[in-house]
Amino acid sequence: MTSRMAAGAALGAALFISGTALADDAPKLSELSPNGADACFGRVYDAAHLKAHPRQKVARIFFYYGNDPVSRPNEEPSSMSGAAYNGFLTTTVRGAKKPEWAAGWCNKEDPSDKASGIRCGMECDRTLASLKVDDKGKLILSNVQPDVYLDADAEEDLGTAEYDKQALGSEDDNFRLDPMPVDTCKAEFARIDPIDPALGAPLRERLKPDQAFCYGRDYDDAHLKSHPDQMTQSIRVFRGPIELASFAAGGDTANWPDGADIAVSVTTRQKGTKVTQTYSCQGEADQWRCSASSKMSDFACDISQKEIFLKRGASGTMMLANPNSALAIVDLCSKAAGGKTKSDDKVYRLNPMPQSACTP
């Protein structure tokens, strides 16, 4: 990736790197939390300060030490819920409508030395920040990297100009934060990704490992006439006897939905024939990332990079995203499937249907 790490990525599998410390296993840092409870520090800079520091982009900054204040109902396996970081940083730059955030695990640099500094590490051996509490109880945040919200290779991929635009400013370091109520930090982190009650429970809770399901949509003539570039006439997303048997034989219910097979059937308006493709899914942030599988098909190319994404939609619907021609509306090994989806077949809102509507 060359863009900023989405919150979903921060919550996804990339966080669970070998060697990360579980929050429950790490010793409590009494400097940050003398009583062992969660702790919050923050600062909102006024116009006078920002005018005097033109190279500081950060207008609001908060650091939270403790249990994850960011997680929302998501699609990651519930068995991973304990593999959380214990340090969370969120900042809002000038003119931004919402904060960005990153997480790390915070420990003494030298556990045997009480006077040792505190370092908060991130994945890929990166540093989130170094921490110190002064004699007035303020938290000093130093060694904050300009690319803290970017991928490790972002400067090379983005180019200097775009990197400088997206990175933090040259004066975005050595922050002095005031102790604040825990609820203040939680309210700040809630600004990142507000919960939409209409979406309800995540798919991994709605759809059980041993449960068949069927979602789909049939497009009428009026819709197709108003969308002349849409190739899909009918679509189904389902788990039936074959997919259930596959998971029962080799799946791990504790890690549901990782390893879940789904089938997607598409009937195109041009050919009028139904094509069914199998995908293998895993939970990632608020979506299922599903890679095309050769289990039921013999392909002349490696289709494992052909991906679609499932998300919960409002009022019990399911959203399917097809950003990179991963649905079998074209030959998955053709040049037409090599890039972005060019037709109007990118996002589908699917309704729950009886299982009989998904009979192959």
Side-chain angles (χ1 to χ4, degrees):
M1 293 190 297
T2 57
S3 61
R4 294 175 185 269
M5 292 184 291
L11 286 169
L15 290 184
F16 307 110
I17 304 300
S18 175
T20 60
L22 302 187
D24 291 341
D25 296 336
K28 291 291 185 180
L29 299 172
S30 57
E31 301 96 319
L32 303 180
S33 175
N35 61 0
D38 292 359
C40 172
F41 303 85
R43 185 169 179 182
V44 178
Y45 292 95
D46 59 23
H49 177 97
L50 294 175
K51 184 177 181 179
H53 297 82
R55 289 188 293 274
Q56 177 180 321
K57 293 184 179 181
V58 171
R60 302 170 64 92
I61 178 170
F62 292 82
F63 186 87
Y64 189 84
Y65 174 68
N67 296 310
D68 185 356
V70 188
S71 291
R72 301 288 183 266
N74 64 76
E75 304 296 347
E76 290 161 9
S78 57
S79 63
M80 291 185 176
S81 61
Y85 291 130
N86 59 6
F88 302 84
L89 174 70
T90 182
T91 61
T92 306
V93 298
R94 305 181 195 220
K97 295 182 179 179
K98 59 190 296 187
E100 293 183 281
W101 73 280
W105 58 98
C106 304
N107 296 288
K108 288 278 197 178
E109 292 178 350
D110 181 358
S112 63
D113 182 3
K114 290 186 178 181
S116 173
I118 298 171
R119 175 184 177 269
C120 297
M122 299 173 67
E123 71 276 6
C124 302
D125 200 29
R126 301 170 71 195
T127 295
L128 176 67
S130 296
L131 311 179
K132 181 182 179 181
V133 178
D134 67 13
D135 55 5
K136 296 182 179 179
K138 294 180 182 288
L139 179 66
I140 301 172
L141 231 71
S142 61
N143 201 23
V144 178
Q145 303 300 304
D147 62 351
V148 65
Y149 301 121
L150 296 171
D151 295 330
D153 56 355
E155 187 167 12
E156 180 179 346
D157 290 345
L158 293 172
T160 301
E162 185 62 24
Y163 174 84
D164 289 343
K165 180 180 178 181
Q166 295 191 24
L168 295 182
S170 59
E171 291 191 30
D172 288 311
D173 199 8
N174 297 313
F175 298 100
R176 190 181 298 271
L177 311 184
D178 297 314
M180 292 189 171
V182 164
D183 286 346
T184 301
C185 271
K186 289 184 176 180
E188 190 71 13
F189 278 97
R191 295 176 57 224
I192 298 167
D193 183 23
I195 296 174
D196 183 354
L199 296 181
L203 295 178
R204 68 175 176 85
E205 294 180 7
R206 281 192 220 164
L207 311 173
K208 306 302 182 183
D210 58 352
Q211 169 193 340
F213 65 74
C214 173
Y215 286 77
R217 188 165 178 184
D218 299 314
Y219 295 95
D220 59 24
D221 291 339
H223 177 96
L224 294 175
K225 185 177 181 179
S226 64
H227 295 80
D229 294 328
Q230 178 178 320
M231 299 172 66
T232 305
Q233 182 174 346
S234 179
I235 183 170
R236 300 288 188 271
V237 177
F238 62 94
R239 292 181 80 227
I242 295 175
E243 292 74 34
L244 294 178
S246 175
F247 192 82
D252 179 1
T253 55
N255 285 317
W256 171 261
D258 287 3
D261 286 346
I262 64 166
V264 181
S265 291
V266 177
T267 302
T268 58
R269 63 198 295 184
Q270 289 86 352
K271 297 180 180 179
T273 56
K274 181 168 66 176
V275 177
T276 300
Q277 174 60 42
T278 301
Y279 298 79
S280 181
C281 302
Q282 65 178 30
E284 182 180 278
D286 63 343
Q287 64 191 7
W288 290 17
R289 177 191 290 269
C290 303
S291 301
S293 168
S294 58
K295 286 182 178 180
M296 297 178 62
S297 308
D298 184 14
F299 282 88
C301 66
D302 178 9
I303 62 168
S304 62
Q305 299 305 308
K306 302 293 184 181
E307 297 176 329
I308 60 173
F309 303 88
L310 303 181
K311 286 189 176 185
R312 67 193 191 279
S315 303
T317 60
M318 175 190 288
M319 306 300 296
L320 186 155
N322 174 43
N324 296 310
S325 296
L327 281 182
I329 53 176
V330 296
D331 182 347
L332 293 182
C333 290
S334 68
K335 289 184 178 179
K340 300 289 184 182
T341 303
K342 294 182 174 61
S343 61
D344 191 9
D345 297 86
K346 298 181 180 69
V347 179
Y348 303 82
R349 184 185 299 276
L350 309 178
N351 298 308
M353 290 184 166
Q355 200 66 27
S356 59
C358 287
T359 302

